[in-house]
């Protein structure tokens, strides 16, 4: 972070677009200010092309005049229902300038739709979500570059603090999505949430229920894609928000002890796995798979006097939980969901192979089931090794290295081409006059198992002999 005087801020904003906005405002006799994230990012020395301008008057009129001055170089979009307008400047570099009139807002308890009235700059800053986003810089020529910071947002920025301008209970009650934004900013910027503001999160957590899952997901995905997403999930759990948004994940935060033996805290283990895949530069849906890979553990947890705590088949149970979770959270139900399902179901397989002899047959099956997602699966499995025993961890990772080597060898030998038998389900149905049914599935699986186990070549004649033999055992005739 870097501190600037008003003169230095004026030098930073001494750009044609800001000077022109100031000229238009001066001609119209209104005050205008650049506000919010653009101001914050100046001090954080982060680039930003999204500019928010508050006009003490009509933001739409200033935007319209600016468009007239810019001519064909700019495009104007007006949103009268919201009292906003956007000017997009296409020449030289893409810039989007959002204009809004200064306003005051009031809310009813059961709605996120505010009652909006014209207001002063002070009113507009009062309604901002956090002190670091409430700073404004004047664009009028008489005070160009002057910082207006009524809530000491600059000090909070310097101290790495997220705090609300007014009473956090009022701020979060008025717009509960701000609770997600609070944790998102703290995660992205690696800031701490001020104590009173965090108390507000805990007190108002139930208000998040009136916010649509689509809007929650925008903030949640930004947390997940942060350099250190675990920080955000710790805050979501501590505040009580996670239990409302994603109770399946919150349920992992428990440790039971019996006969002096305790299992690990699977919530914090999950966050370690998430951190590990993030460190590998994982994309959004691999991070989701890491987040959900153990959600089946609470339902499968059992105590065994000999073995201790067990979680048998938690991968399969967890896979079955992914679809309803995605449906409830309004997440994509297409290939993204199926990808997460696949990785959750298969995340134990490489470890099972590594614990035993790494045979061609076992690796072929893994490659067949994982398909093009095999590399992501291996990344997830390696990230899942979070043991504090360095010797044990080294053994696990060495075993995974051998699995990877075997995968590479098999791919190089073009085994992927051989993984699907040359006789498919359509031909099986025609041969035995069958409709889609479990019998067709059994015959297909018989052929696939034979190819994967290398018991027969993936060629038509030996597979047809095997098919006829299996069909006869099932009482089927051509």
């Amino acid at each position: 972070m870097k501190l600037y005087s008003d003169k230095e801020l004026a030098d930073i904003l001494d750009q044609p677009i800001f000077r022109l906005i100031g000229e238009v405002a001066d001609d119209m006799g209104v005050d205008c200010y650049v506000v919010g994230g653009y101001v914050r990012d100046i001090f954080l020395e982060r680039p930003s092309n999204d500019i928010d301008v508050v006009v003490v008057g009509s933001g739409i009129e200033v935007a319209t005049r600016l468009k007239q001055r810019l001519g064909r170089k700019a495009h104007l979009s007006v949103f009268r229902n919201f009292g906003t307008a956007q000017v997009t400047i296409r020449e030289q570099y893409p810039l989007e300038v959002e204009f809004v009139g200064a306003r005051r807002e009031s809310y009813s308890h059961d709605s996120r739709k505010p009652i909006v009235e014209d207001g002063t700059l002070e009113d507009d800053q009062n309604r901002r979500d956090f002190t670091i986003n409430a700073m404004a810089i004047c664009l009028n020529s008489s005070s160009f570059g002057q910082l207006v910071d009524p809530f000491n947002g600059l000090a909070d920025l310097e101290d790495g603090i997220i705090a609300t301008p007014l009473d956090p209970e009022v701020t979060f009650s008025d717009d509960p999505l701000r609770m997600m934004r609070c944790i998102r900013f703290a995660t992205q910027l690696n800031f701490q949430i001020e104590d009173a503001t965090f108390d507000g999160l805990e007190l108002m957590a139930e208000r998040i229920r009136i916010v649509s899952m689509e809007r929650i997901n925008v903030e949640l995905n930004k947390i997940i894609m942060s350099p250190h997403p675990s920080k955000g999930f710790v805050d979501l759990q501590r505040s009580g928000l996670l239990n409302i948004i994603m109770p399946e994940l919150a349920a992992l935060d428990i440790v039971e002890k019996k006969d002096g033996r305790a299992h690990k805290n699977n919530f914090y283990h999950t966050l370690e796995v998430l951190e590990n895949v993030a460190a590998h530069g994982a994309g959004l849906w691999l991070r989701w798979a890491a987040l959900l890979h153990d959600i089946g553990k609470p339902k499968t947890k059992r105590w065994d006097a000999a073995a201790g705590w067990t979680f048998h088949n938690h991968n399969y149970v967890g896979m079955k939980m992914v679809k309803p979770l995605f449906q409830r959270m309004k997440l994509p139900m297409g290939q993204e969901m199926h990808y997460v399902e696949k990785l959750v179901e298969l995340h134990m397989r490489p470890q099972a192979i590594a614990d035993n002899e790494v045979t061609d047959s076992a690796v072929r099956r893994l490659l067949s089931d994982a398909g093009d997602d095999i590399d992501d699966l291996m990344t997830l499995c390696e990230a899942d090794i979070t043991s504090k025993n360095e010797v044990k961890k080294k053994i696990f990772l060495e075993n995974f290295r051998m699995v990877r080597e075997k995968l590479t060898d098999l791919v190089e030998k073009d085994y992927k081409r051989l993984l699907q038998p040359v006789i498919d389900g359509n031909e099986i149905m025609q041969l035995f006059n069958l409709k889609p049914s479990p019998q067709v599935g059994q015959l297909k699986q018989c052929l696939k198992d034979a190819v994967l186990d290398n018991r027969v070549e993936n060629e038509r004649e030996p597979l047809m002999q095997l098919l006829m033999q299996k069909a006869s055992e099932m009482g089927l005739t051509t």
Side-chain angles (χ1 to χ4, degrees):
M1 176 186 167
K2 189 171 182 178
L3 298 176
Y4 297 101
S5 66
D6 287 352
K7 183 179 183 307
E8 289 172 322
L9 289 174
D11 290 339
I12 291 170
L13 293 180
D14 191 12
Q15 303 173 40
I17 183 62
F18 293 116
R19 287 295 186 183
L20 187 55
I21 293 171
E23 288 176 17
V24 170
D26 287 341
D27 290 346
M28 295 178 63
V30 296
D31 294 335
C32 73
Y33 303 82
V34 60
V35 297
Y38 192 89
V39 178
R40 178 197 68 227
D41 288 343
I42 287 175
F43 293 102
L44 291 176
E45 300 182 272
R46 300 197 312 181
S48 177
N49 285 332
D50 295 327
I51 304 168
D52 291 323
V53 172
V54 164
V55 177
V56 185
S58 171
I60 292 176
E61 288 184 18
V62 172
T64 302
R65 294 277 189 94
L66 178 65
K67 157 62 180 167
Q68 292 170 355
R69 294 279 294 269
L70 289 168
R72 293 181 179 180
K73 293 188 292 185
H75 174 75
L76 173 67
S77 301
V78 176
F79 310 96
R80 294 196 181 277
N81 288 344
F82 300 97
T84 65
Q86 184 183 80
V87 177
T88 304
I89 304 168
R90 295 184 286 257
E91 240 181 41
Q92 296 179 343
Y93 52 94
L95 271 182
E96 292 182 351
V97 187
E98 189 90 22
F99 290 85
V100 64
R103 59 196 185 190
R104 66 167 63 95
E105 296 177 346
S106 58
Y107 293 77
S108 62
H109 181 73
D110 59 350
S111 174
R112 286 191 62 249
K113 294 182 179 178
I115 300 168
V116 180
E117 303 172 283
D118 292 341
T120 64
L121 175 65
E122 181 182 2
D123 291 327
D124 201 86
Q125 288 177 300
N126 285 343
R127 72 177 183 84
R128 297 279 161 174
D129 49 8
F130 308 110
T131 61
I132 63 172
N133 294 334
M135 297 182 286
I137 302 174
C138 186
L139 297 180
N140 296 92
S141 58
S142 60
S143 302
F144 191 84
Q146 182 178 315
L147 178 68
V148 183
D149 182 16
F151 304 110
N152 295 315
L154 196 56
D156 285 347
L157 203 58
E158 191 172 14
D159 293 339
I161 296 294
I162 302 292
T164 57
L166 303 177
D167 183 339
E169 290 182 50
V170 174
T171 297
F172 295 146
S173 179
D174 284 350
D175 185 353
L177 186 64
R178 289 170 175 166
M179 293 188 284
M180 295 297 299
R181 287 170 55 82
C182 177
I183 293 174
R184 188 255 290 181
F185 278 121
T187 307
Q188 287 182 324
L189 299 175
N190 195 25
F191 280 17
Q192 296 302 312
I193 300 172
E194 181 236 5
D195 288 346
T197 299
F198 197 90
D199 290 344
L201 290 176
E202 293 179 290
L203 286 167
M204 305 309 298
E206 284 292 326
R207 285 280 284 165
I208 200 67
R209 295 187 189 276
I210 71 168
V211 182
S212 72
M213 284 307 309
E214 289 88 349
R215 299 195 72 186
I216 289 172
N217 288 336
V218 170
E219 300 301 326
L220 192 60
N221 285 339
K222 289 178 180 178
I223 292 170
I224 291 172
M225 288 305 295
S226 298
H228 295 288
S230 63
K231 174 177 167 52
F233 282 93
V234 169
D235 285 341
L236 287 169
Q237 178 71 338
R238 288 174 55 228
S239 65
L241 286 164
L242 189 64
N243 193 49
I244 299 169
I245 297 166
M246 206 186 309
E248 300 91 339
L249 185 61
L252 295 173
D253 190 11
I254 187 171
V255 175
E256 286 192 64
K257 192 172 184 179
K258 193 165 185 177
D259 295 347
R261 299 166 74 177
H263 61 80
K264 65 187 173 186
N265 185 306
N266 288 303
F267 176 72
Y268 287 97
H269 161 73
T270 292
L271 297 189
E272 282 190 73
V273 178
L274 179 60
E275 285 289 311
N276 289 341
V277 298
H280 277 82
L284 177 62
W285 301 109
L286 178 51
R287 295 185 189 212
W288 267 101
L291 200 60
L292 302 182
H293 80 284
D294 274 350
I295 57 169
K297 282 192 169 179
K299 290 186 177 181
T300 58
K301 182 166 62 176
R302 301 289 184 272
W303 168 255
D304 183 282
W309 293 102
T310 65
F311 304 90
H312 295 312
N313 292 323
H314 75 272
N315 55 315
Y316 179 76
V317 171
M319 180 271 289
K320 290 293 187 182
M321 295 170 66
V322 169
K323 184 175 180 178
L325 183 150
F326 268 53
Q327 285 176 320
R328 189 189 74 246
M329 295 187 67
K330 302 294 191 284
L331 290 162
M333 296 302 295
Q335 63 182 11
E336 298 91 347
M337 185 270 292
H338 293 302
Y339 168 90
V340 174
E341 279 186 325
K342 181 196 289 188
L343 264 60
V344 170
E345 181 182 15
L346 296 179
H347 81 271
M348 299 296 292
R349 283 273 292 281
Q351 184 171 325
I353 293 171
D355 286 345
N356 299 298
E357 183 182 355
V358 184
T359 64
D360 282 3
S361 176
V363 175
R364 281 196 203 97
R365 289 175 179 277
L366 177 64
L367 187 56
S368 173
D369 291 340
D372 292 337
D373 300 317
I374 186 65
D375 286 338
D376 285 356
L377 176 62
M378 292 303 298
T379 297
L380 174 60
C381 293
E382 288 164 348
D384 199 15
I385 306 303
T386 62
S387 172
K388 299 300 182 287
N389 184 325
E390 289 301 320
V391 173
K392 184 178 179 182
K393 188 174 181 179
K394 185 176 180 180
I395 292 171
F396 273 127
L397 293 176
E398 175 61 20
N399 287 346
F400 279 137
R401 186 190 63 78
M402 289 190 292
V403 173
R404 278 191 180 272
E405 282 187 358
K406 184 72 74 173
L407 282 165
T408 301
D409 289 343
L410 290 177
V411 171
E412 286 176 355
K413 294 174 183 176
D414 200 23
Y415 270 107
K416 286 184 75 174
R417 179 176 57 83
L418 305 178
L419 293 178
Q420 294 300 325
V422 295
I423 300 173
D424 63 14
N426 288 327
E427 186 172 358
I428 290 172
M429 287 189 287
Q430 290 175 1
L431 279 170
F432 299 103
N433 195 27
L434 294 173
K435 293 182 178 180
S437 63
Q439 289 176 309
V440 177
Q442 290 175 40
L443 291 170
K444 284 176 61 179
Q445 193 63 47
C446 172
L447 300 184
K448 185 174 181 178
D449 288 345
V451 171
L452 291 173
D453 292 339
N454 209 25
R455 286 186 278 113
V456 298
E457 293 295 323
N458 191 11
E459 295 175 358
R460 186 170 187 80
E461 186 175 341
L463 282 176
M464 187 60 75
Q465 290 179 4
L466 179 61
L467 177 64
M468 293 302 175
Q469 179 183 335
K470 180 66 176 178
S472 176
E473 293 172 3
M474 295 170 61
L476 298 173
T477 57
T478 58

